[in-house]
């Protein structure tokens, strides 16, 4: 800007501006309506048209009235005229800023002040940089406001101060900011202020446009979807398939809104909403229409928001278990402990929440649904599945059983992917849907019967299901949405733990259900099985009765199992015979006594003298074993034949058992002198046979039995018929501990044996044996095979 020579101090009349601010280089028209304006106009006419434009600012001044700005604008009246109403008007051009001094007595009436003109001077480099940025920002702002022509105002204005003063034409600039701009006499500060305001306005305008755009897009999308749905409905109406499809869509959408209102995870809702949209766009004649509809029925049919309240009264739980099962005290104790822990966790979480301890409440809440996964392991028929039902009844939860026997495809558990024809959800998801709640008791039955092939390994799928740290985001291959299984109580049953893979077994807490004693079987038959079979065979209560002696006869002579399934079958057989007699007109009630058992069931299948008969000759010993059906007695027969010295082993034996036979023979040869054998008698070919050759056998626990049988054969001393034995033997003659002590002792008791030889290191396992069995039997604990021979061989 060219420099203007101005006197240091001048006296000018004041034209107050009550509602605006005029900045240098602006040309404005002012109506002289007020007395102050008329006086200023007259004074300007007497002062060569020069005057001072001074904004009036609302707020208390020194005298308590409105004050004037500290900086005014030097101006010149270019022309005058009269408005249509007769009011005088002035066309004024502002020329520069001036400091306002004191009031003085002027040449005319009105307000006169002394002023000191302000020269902007030469702009600094910084001011020029800010001016360049300001020009670009104002141009972007004007274009965003839709005023391209406003950008033309910037053309030809090069001075930074003048460029900043152009903001005076900005209609959105407030009065306070206009005064602030007027009073900014430093050019660099003035340009910086206008630049900041321009940036702020540009950002606000862009945000407003973005919001308006989003709203407009949303409205357009809604309107578009409405029009498309109307057109789709019209097309379906013409095709004649509109009714059922619309009803299905409305049902799906209503269910989706229910889930949304209940707070189901957003990822699940988004996936379902997308599938509903696909269903709506897919014609009913398209095969995918049925697949999508099936998926939606499955996903929306899950009880996402349904949960049952746990009944965690420990005393009631024990009562329920006692009502449903006789015996199994150790198992009941562990289940009650399990429920007690869940009860305390739930209570602690509630107490922490009430007390306001958020961290503790979150921790307890996260842990209350977690805990050990109980695995009930034992032979068939001992009540593993019914124990699971009792746990569900004690907790007040729904019960679902998943039979895993023979399952070889992991897709059976995790579901088939939707790319396959006939795909469906896995058994886990179907169990949840069947239960109708998200926290049922799910019994995974016969987990040891799972198989694996090239289709996959289902036991690997169970690793995630049974891991509390992972199952809260279980994902079925068919659904492909996260499913929370952390509230589900999983129970597992198995017959043979050795057939369960190690990683899966590591996630389970094993509770062994080994079987029942004879007295427990009689109590179960009396309290549970008999009444059930009476109803199952069409009889009424009171028409038939059974004595304790008859039940003992059935248990002892017709069953020799760990469980009670065969016992129930025998009771059913006897009651069917009674039903025939009552149907034939015989008067009720009919009582089944011990003498009637043979007539109803035929000859007894098991004899107490069987063991004594089998061991009546030298070379035969009675061992004890554990099979998938529980404990059992195992006979070992030996004989010697002429020929090349060696050993023959038969009876479908595994490698470990064959090696045990070799160890037994080597031990006998090494101790020939101690036993009193002639070494020449050992130079023969020996044959060791295990009867029941159709049954596979393996394990080292028959070592002492084979050693005893060989010594019995060679010495001619028979093995005592009332003695059973088990234990692994070493080449040095030590007897090592074995497993399944409880099951083996119960099997010996059922078989009528009165003495059992066990390894001494198995002494702690005697605590697991029922008191009634321990009192009825003599248990010998041995360290060396010499002790076994002393006890087992007859004199």
């Amino acid at each position: 800007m060219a420099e203007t020579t101005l006197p240091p101090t001048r006296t000018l009349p004041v034209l107050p501006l009550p509602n605006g601010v005029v900045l240098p280089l602006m040309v404005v028209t002012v109506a002289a309506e007020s007395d102050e304006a008329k006086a200023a106009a007259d004074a300007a006419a007497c002062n060569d048209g020069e005057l001072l434009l001074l904004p009036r600012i609302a707020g208390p001044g020194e005298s308590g009235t409105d004050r004037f700005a500290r900086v005014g604008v030097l101006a010149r009246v270019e022309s005058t005229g009269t408005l249509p109403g007769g009011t005088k008007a002035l066309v004024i051009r502002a020329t520069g800023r001036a400091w306002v001094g004191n009031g003085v007595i002027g040449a005319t009436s009105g307000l006169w002040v002394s002023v000191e003109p302000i020269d902007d001077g030469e702009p600094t480099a910084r001011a020029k940089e800010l001016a360049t940025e300001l020009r670009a920002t104002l141009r972007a702002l004007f274009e965003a406001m839709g005023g391209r022509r406003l950008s033309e105002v910037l053309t030809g204005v090069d001075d930074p101060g003048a460029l900043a003063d152009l903001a005076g034409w900005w209609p959105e600039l407030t009065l306070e900011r206009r005064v602030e701009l007027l009073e900014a006499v430093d050019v660099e500060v003035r340009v910086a202020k206008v630049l900041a305001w321009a940036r702020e306005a540009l950002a606000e305008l862009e945000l407003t446009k973005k919001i308006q755009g989003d709203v407009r897009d949303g409205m357009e999308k809604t309107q578009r979807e409405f029009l498309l749905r109307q057109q789709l409905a019209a097309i379906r109406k013409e095709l004649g398939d509109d009714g059922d499809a619309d009803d299905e869509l409305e049902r799906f959408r209503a269910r989706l809104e229910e889930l949304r209102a209940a707070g189901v995870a957003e990822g699940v809702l988004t996936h379902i909403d997308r599938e509903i949209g696909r269903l709506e766009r897919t014609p009913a004649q398209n095969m995918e229409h049925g697949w999508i509809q099936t998926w939606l029925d499955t996903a929306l049919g899950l009880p996402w928001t349904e949960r049952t309240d746990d009944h965690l009264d420990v005393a009631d739980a024990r009562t329920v278990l006692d009502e449903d099962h006789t015996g199994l005290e150790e198992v009941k104790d562990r289940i009650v402990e399990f429920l007690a822990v869940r009860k305390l966790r739930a209570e602690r979480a509630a107490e922490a929440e009430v007390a306001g301890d958020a961290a503790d409440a979150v921790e307890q809440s996260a842990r209350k649904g977690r805990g050990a996964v109980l695995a009930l392991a034992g032979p068939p028929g001992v009540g593993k599945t019914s124990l699971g039902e009792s746990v569900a009844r004690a907790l007040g939860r729904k019960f679902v059983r998943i039979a895993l026997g023979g399952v070889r495809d992991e897709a059976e558990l995790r579901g088939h992917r939707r790319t396959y024809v006939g795909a469906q959800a896995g058994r886990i998801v179907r169990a949840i849907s069947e239960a109708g709640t998200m926290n049922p008791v799910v019994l995974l039955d016969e987990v040891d019967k799972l198989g694996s092939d090239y289709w996959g390994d289902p036991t690997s799928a169970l690793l995630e299901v049974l891991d509390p740290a992972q199952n809260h985001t279980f994902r079925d291959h068919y659904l492909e949405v996260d499913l929370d299984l952390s509230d589900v109580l999983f129970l597992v049953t198995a017959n043979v733990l050795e057939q369960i893979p190690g990683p899966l077994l590591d996630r389970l807490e094993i509770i062994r259900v080994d079987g029942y004693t004879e007295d427990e079987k009689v109590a179960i038959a009396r309290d549970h099985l008999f009444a059930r079979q009476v109803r199952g065979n069409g009889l009424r209560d009171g028409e038939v009765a059974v004595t304790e002696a008859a039940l003992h006869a059935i248990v002892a002579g017709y069953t020799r199992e760990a469980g009670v399934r065969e016992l129930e079958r025998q009771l059913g057989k006897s009651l069917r015979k009674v039903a025939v007699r009552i149907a034939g007109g015989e008067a009720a009630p009919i009582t089944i006594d011990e003498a009637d058992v043979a007539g109803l069931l035929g000859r007894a299948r098991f004899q107490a003298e069987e063991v004594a008969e089998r061991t009546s000759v030298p070379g035969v010993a009675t061992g004890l074993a554990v099979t998938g059906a529980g404990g059992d007695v195992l006979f070992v027969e030996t004989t010697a034949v002429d020929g090349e010295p060696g050993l023959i082993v038969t009876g479908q034996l595994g490698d470990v058992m064959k090696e045990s036979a070799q160890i037994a023979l080597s031990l006998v040869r090494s101790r020939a002198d101690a036993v009193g054998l002639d070494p020449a008698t050992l130079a023969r070919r020996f044959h060791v046979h295990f009867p029941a050759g159709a049954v596979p056998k393996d394990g080292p626990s028959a070592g002492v039995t084979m050693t005893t049988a060989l010594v019995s054969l060679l010495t001619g001393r028979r093995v005592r018929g009332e003695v059973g034995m088990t234990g692994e033997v070493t080449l040095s003659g030590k007897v090592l501990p074995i497993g399944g002590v409880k099951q083996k002792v119960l099997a010996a008791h059922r078989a009528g044996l009165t003495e059992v030889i066990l390894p001494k290191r198995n002494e702690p396992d005697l605590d697991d044996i029922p008191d009634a069995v321990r009192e009825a039997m003599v248990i010998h604990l041995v360290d060396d095979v010499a002790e076994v021979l002393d006890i087992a061989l007859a004199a």
Side-chain angles (χ1 to χ4, degrees):
M1 179 183 292
E3 294 186 5
T4 304
T5 303
L6 298 172
T9 302
R10 303 172 62 187
T11 301
L12 294 175
V14 176
L15 176 57
L17 301 176
N19 298 316
V21 176
V22 176
L23 294 169
L25 302 183
M26 294 178 65
V27 178
V28 296
T29 301
V30 179
E33 296 177 330
S34 64
D35 294 338
E36 291 177 330
K38 292 175 182 178
D42 294 340
C46 299
N47 196 40
D48 295 332
E50 293 183 346
L51 49 73
L52 182 71
L53 302 179
L54 193 59
R56 188 190 301 273
I57 303 173
E62 296 180 359
S63 60
T65 60
D66 292 346
R67 67 180 181 86
F68 290 103
R70 294 180 293 108
V71 176
V73 177
L74 300 175
R76 178 181 296 277
V77 178
E78 295 288 331
S79 63
T80 61
T82 303
L83 297 176
T87 303
K88 186 177 181 178
L90 309 175
V91 178
I92 301 174
R93 179 185 297 276
T95 58
R97 286 176 173 79
W99 291 108
V100 179
N102 296 325
V104 297
I105 298 175
T108 64
S109 62
L111 177 61
W112 289 68
V113 295
S114 62
V115 298
E116 181 181 345
I118 300 173
D119 184 8
D120 286 346
E122 188 67 26
T124 64
R126 176 61 179 163
K128 292 179 180 179
E129 292 176 2
L130 293 174
T132 302
E133 188 174 354
L134 174 61
R135 185 186 303 278
T137 305
L138 289 175
R139 183 174 286 110
L141 177 62
F142 293 156
E143 291 179 358
M145 294 170 61
R148 271 184 192 275
R149 297 184 60 184
L150 293 175
S151 301
E152 298 176 1
V153 177
L154 303 176
T155 305
V157 181
D158 299 324
D159 183 73
L163 182 63
D165 288 338
L166 284 178
W169 296 108
W170 189 0
E172 281 79 14
L173 199 64
T174 63
L175 178 61
E176 290 76 9
R177 286 189 171 181
R178 290 173 190 271
V179 173
E180 187 177 349
L181 178 61
L182 175 63
E183 293 181 341
V185 296
D186 185 272
V187 175
E188 188 174 323
V189 173
R190 189 189 316 161
V191 176
K193 285 181 180 290
V194 177
L195 177 59
W197 296 339
R199 287 173 176 170
E200 179 184 329
L202 182 60
E204 182 178 352
L205 187 61
E206 290 176 348
L207 178 60
T208 302
K209 283 193 171 185
K210 182 178 183 302
I211 294 174
Q212 291 175 348
D214 292 343
V215 172
R216 182 172 57 254
D217 291 345
M219 293 178 62
E220 290 176 355
K221 180 181 178 182
T222 303
Q223 293 171 353
R224 179 172 175 273
E225 288 181 354
F226 175 76
L227 291 175
L228 290 175
R229 285 197 178 98
Q230 292 298 106
Q231 294 173 4
L232 187 60
I235 294 172
R236 285 176 173 165
K237 186 175 181 180
E238 291 297 325
L239 294 174
D241 60 354
D242 58 327
D244 294 340
D246 289 342
D247 291 344
E248 282 294 311
L249 288 172
E250 290 303 320
R251 180 171 66 86
F252 290 148
R253 287 199 178 94
R255 174 61 175 159
L256 178 61
E257 292 306 315
E258 290 177 7
L259 298 181
R260 195 184 305 278
V264 174
E266 190 62 32
V268 175
L269 299 176
T270 302
H271 200 120
I272 295 176
D273 193 20
R274 184 165 61 246
E275 293 299 321
I276 292 176
R278 285 187 60 205
L279 179 67
E280 188 174 16
R281 296 188 299 271
T282 305
Q285 293 78 13
N286 192 321
M287 64 188 330
E288 288 194 10
H289 186 279
W291 299 347
I292 300 171
Q293 186 171 352
T294 302
W295 187 93
L296 286 170
D297 284 331
T298 303
L300 293 173
L302 284 171
W304 296 98
T305 59
E306 301 297 327
R307 281 173 172 77
T308 55
D309 295 330
D310 283 350
H311 179 65
L312 296 174
D313 190 301
V314 175
D316 287 351
R318 183 66 192 219
T319 301
V320 169
L321 293 173
D322 287 338
E323 289 176 353
D324 294 347
H325 297 84
T326 299
L328 304 178
E329 298 302 321
E330 181 182 353
V331 178
K332 293 178 186 176
D333 290 341
R334 181 61 189 90
I335 292 175
V336 169
E337 293 167 5
F338 177 76
L339 299 180
V341 170
R342 296 181 69 90
K343 171 185 171 74
L344 291 179
R345 284 179 176 171
E347 290 178 351
R348 298 298 187 269
E351 290 172 1
E353 187 174 352
V354 171
D357 189 345
D360 190 30
V362 170
E363 180 183 359
Q364 294 290 348
S365 179
R367 297 168 70 184
K368 69 179 181 180
R370 298 183 179 182
V373 177
L374 299 184
L376 306 175
V382 294
K384 300 184 297 296
T385 303
S386 58
L387 274 170
E389 294 177 356
S390 297
V391 171
R393 190 159 76 91
L395 280 172
R397 292 191 180 192
K398 299 295 183 64
F399 176 78
V400 185
R401 172 179 168 270
I402 300 178
L404 299 180
V407 174
R408 302 198 304 174
D409 185 0
E410 58 96 16
E412 285 285 323
L413 298 177
R414 295 190 69 102
H416 301 80
R417 299 192 183 278
R418 295 174 65 187
T419 53
Y420 296 103
V421 176
Q424 61 179 344
R427 294 195 182 191
I428 302 295
V429 171
R430 298 206 301 270
I432 299 294
S433 181
E434 178 185 341
T437 67
M438 294 299 290
N439 62 338
V441 174
V442 175
L443 180 74
L444 302 175
D445 208 8
E446 308 291 354
V447 72
D448 58 323
K449 306 299 189 300
L450 285 170
S452 62
D453 55 17
Y454 61 90
W455 288 106
D457 184 2
T459 59
S460 299
L462 286 179
L463 296 179
E464 178 187 4
V465 174
L466 299 180
D467 190 343
Q470 302 180 41
N471 64 10
H472 62 285
T473 55
F474 174 75
R475 178 162 287 210
D476 185 270
H477 288 161
Y478 179 73
L479 289 181
E480 281 297 328
V481 295
D482 288 343
L483 191 65
D484 187 358
L485 301 180
S486 60
D487 289 336
V488 177
L489 175 57
F490 287 102
L491 299 176
V492 174
T493 71
N495 297 133
V496 183
L497 293 177
E498 289 74 14
Q499 296 180 3
I500 302 177
L504 180 58
L505 193 63
D506 184 59
R507 286 164 166 78
L508 307 176
E509 179 175 342
I510 307 301
I511 299 180
R512 296 190 178 274
V513 189
D514 291 322
Y516 302 100
T517 65
E518 181 175 324
D519 291 338
E520 287 175 340
K521 287 185 177 181
V522 170
I524 292 171
R526 180 186 64 241
D527 300 335
H528 303 284
L529 305 181
F530 184 75
R532 187 162 64 197
Q533 286 298 320
V534 166
R535 293 189 299 271
N537 287 286
L539 300 171
R540 296 193 183 98
D541 293 339
E543 287 186 327
V544 61
V546 63
T547 64
E548 289 275 326
L551 292 175
H552 275 284
I554 295 174
V555 170
Y558 298 86
T559 68
R560 190 162 287 180
E561 57 174 348
V564 293
R565 286 201 181 121
E566 183 62 27
L567 174 59
E568 186 171 11
R569 282 191 285 268
Q570 296 299 326
L571 287 174
K573 181 178 179 180
S574 62
L575 289 175
R576 287 194 296 273
K577 300 290 182 63
V578 173
V580 171
R581 291 162 57 183
I582 293 178
E586 186 173 340
I590 296 176
T591 300
I592 301 175
D593 204 348
E594 182 178 6
D596 303 319
V597 171
L600 295 172
L601 300 179
R603 181 177 57 85
R605 296 168 54 190
F606 303 101
Q607 303 293 332
E609 298 81 12
E610 179 183 4
V611 176
E613 292 177 359
R614 297 285 292 270
T615 58
S616 60
V617 295
V620 180
T622 306
L624 303 174
V626 175
T627 67
D632 200 0
V633 295
L634 186 72
F635 295 102
V636 178
E637 298 179 347
T638 60
T639 187
V641 296
D642 294 330
E644 184 180 351
L647 177 67
I648 303 172
V649 182
T650 56
Q652 198 174 348
L653 309 182
D655 291 340
V656 175
M657 210 167 208
K658 292 177 181 178
E659 292 173 357
S660 295
Q662 292 283 358
I663 293 172
L665 180 58
S666 298
L667 175 61
V668 172
R669 284 174 173 166
S670 67
R671 292 198 175 188
D673 294 337
V675 179
L677 297 177
D678 182 1
T681 62
L682 295 171
R684 304 178 68 187
R685 192 172 186 83
F686 293 95
H687 187 166
V688 178
H689 175 65
F690 289 79
V695 180
K697 311 169 190 69
D698 202 3
S701 64
V704 295
T705 312
M706 289 186 281
T707 303
T708 304
L710 286 170
V711 173
S712 171
L713 174 69
L714 294 170
T715 60
R717 298 165 60 188
R718 67 177 185 83
V719 179
R720 295 168 57 201
E722 66 273 17
V723 177
M725 63 195 76
T726 181
E728 180 181 356
V729 70
T730 68
L731 283 174
S732 61
K734 296 296 182 182
V735 180
L736 301 183
I738 41 79
V741 171
K742 180 181 178 181
Q743 296 185 53
K744 292 177 178 179
V745 173
L746 290 178
H749 183 256
R750 287 194 297 270
L753 301 178
T754 58
E755 297 182 35
V756 173
I757 300 175
L758 298 175
K760 187 173 182 59
R761 289 168 62 183
N762 281 116
E763 185 174 6
D765 296 323
L766 299 182
D767 295 337
D768 298 334
I769 302 173
D771 294 338
V773 176
R774 293 182 62 181
E775 293 173 0
M777 303 191 71
V778 177
I779 298 177
H780 304 279
L781 299 174
V782 299
D783 274 328
D784 192 273
V785 73
E787 300 175 57
V788 177
L789 298 176
D790 290 341
I791 298 169
L793 296 179

